[in-house]
Amino acid sequence: AAGVIQSPRHLIKEKRETATLKCYPIPRHDTVYWYQQGPGQDPQFLISFYEKMQSDKGSIPDRFSAQQFSDYHSELNMSSLELGDSALYFCASSPQEYTGGAFRNTEAFFGQGTRLTVV
Amino acid sequence: DAKTTQPNSMESNEEEPVHLPCNHSTISGTDYIHWYRQLPSQGPEYVIHGLTSNVNNRMASLAIAEDRKSSTLILHRATLRDAAVYYCILSPLYTGYALNFGKGTSLLVTP
């Protein structure tokens, strides 16, 4: 079965450079999430999109932006990179289902992540 | 968001059942209880979720207290592949709503 695909898998950038991470969700999944996981840390929610609109926002720095395109893939753009941005970045996608009287994302499928190293 | 409290770590022998507890005394009526796990060097993986009733699937069982202030993830027979960090997450799961990971339980499985 198709999974969430993230590219690139590894990325090395210098301080103050920009980086773009890509996420290709599972077909027919209309919701995408981005997470950041620093070394020894738990995943931290950054931002999510539903039907190409931002649906929720977490602790995403102002230097980061993201969008979801018409084909449902998503990109996380990171500018003015800092050493502290070095982390694993996970994308997840989720289908909607109608349950409990509302549309909900009951299960999120995560990609393998992009390891960003800022030097 | 309502908070969850889990033990930092637990240890189990292979082939034995494992009960992973989660306390969530401030859970709201619309919150579902979710469990995800993260194996080393991998993305988180969905395990199970429930609202009020106990739930079973091929991976695990979820036992929810009657007052919903706590829950237990049950792995019926732990294998070495079950060694992971297990996260208990509360969320109403509305479309596009964040799943906020807190501090999970690191499960060690020994042969």
Side-chain angles (χ1 to χ4, degrees):
Chain A
V4 176
I5 297 173
Q6 293 188 243
S7 69
R9 291 294 309 277
H10 302 272
L11 189 59
I12 300 175
K13 289 285 186 178
E14 295 189 355
K15 281 194 305 184
R16 293 180 287 279
E17 284 192 319
T18 61
T20 297
L21 310 186
K22 296 185 179 183
C23 170
Y24 297 88
I26 293 171
R28 291 180 294 282
H29 285 197
D30 44 25
T31 303
V32 166
Y33 310 84
W34 285 97
Y35 288 82
Q36 177 191 59
Q37 187 170 26
Q41 304 289 313
D42 303 296
Q44 294 297 311
F45 171 73
L46 293 178
I47 196 166
S48 60
F49 293 87
Y50 165 67
E51 283 291 342
K52 294 151 278 184
M53 300 286 288
Q54 180 183 309
S55 50
D56 203 353
K57 192 172 181 180
S59 50
I60 183 169
D62 291 341
R63 300 177 290 108
F64 294 6
S65 65
Q67 59 181 341
Q68 186 179 31
F69 294 86
S70 57
D71 64 352
Y72 294 98
H73 93 273
S74 179
E75 295 183 2
L76 177 66
N77 297 294
M78 310 158 70
S79 63
S80 303
L81 287 169
E82 302 173 356
L83 296 178
D85 296 328
S86 295
L88 262 174
Y89 290 83
F90 290 106
C91 171
S93 73
S94 179
Q96 276 192 98
E97 66 175 81
Y98 192 81
T99 182
F103 284 98
R104 304 178 197 270
N105 296 116
T106 54
E107 182 177 347
F109 296 79
F110 284 77
Q112 290 297 299
T114 294
R115 182 173 295 281
L116 173 66
T117 303
V118 182
V119 297
Chain B
D1 289 346
K3 297 262 187 239
T4 61
T5 304
Q6 299 177 245
N8 287 334
S9 62
M10 291 185 65
E11 192 169 337
S12 173
N13 293 321
E14 198 176 9
E15 310 267 316
E16 289 188 356
V18 182
H19 290 233
L20 297 162
C22 181
N23 287 319
H24 32 77
S25 58
T26 59
I27 189 171
S28 76
T30 56
D31 280 336
Y32 284 74
I33 301 159
H34 261 226
W35 284 84
Y36 280 76
R37 72 180 185 179
Q38 187 173 25
L39 280 64
S41 302
Q42 294 191 28
E45 175 187 31
Y46 168 82
V47 178
I48 200 167
H49 78 279
L51 184 62
T52 56
S53 304
N54 295 345
V55 185
N56 300 296
N57 67 19
R58 62 173 181 82
M59 288 182 70
S61 295
L62 176 60
I64 301 172
E66 200 168 329
D67 63 5
R68 300 208 328 126
K69 293 185 177 181
S70 66
S71 60
T72 303
L73 178 71
I74 303 165
L75 307 180
H76 296 287
R77 287 183 64 198
T79 69
L80 297 178
R81 290 190 68 253
D82 291 322
V85 178
Y86 287 78
Y87 295 96
C88 170
I89 301 169
L90 304 182
S91 173
L93 302 178
Y94 298 131
T95 300
Y97 204 80
L99 277 174
N100 287 306
F101 289 76
K103 297 290 181 188
T105 296
S106 180
L107 176 66
L108 176 66
V109 180
T110 53

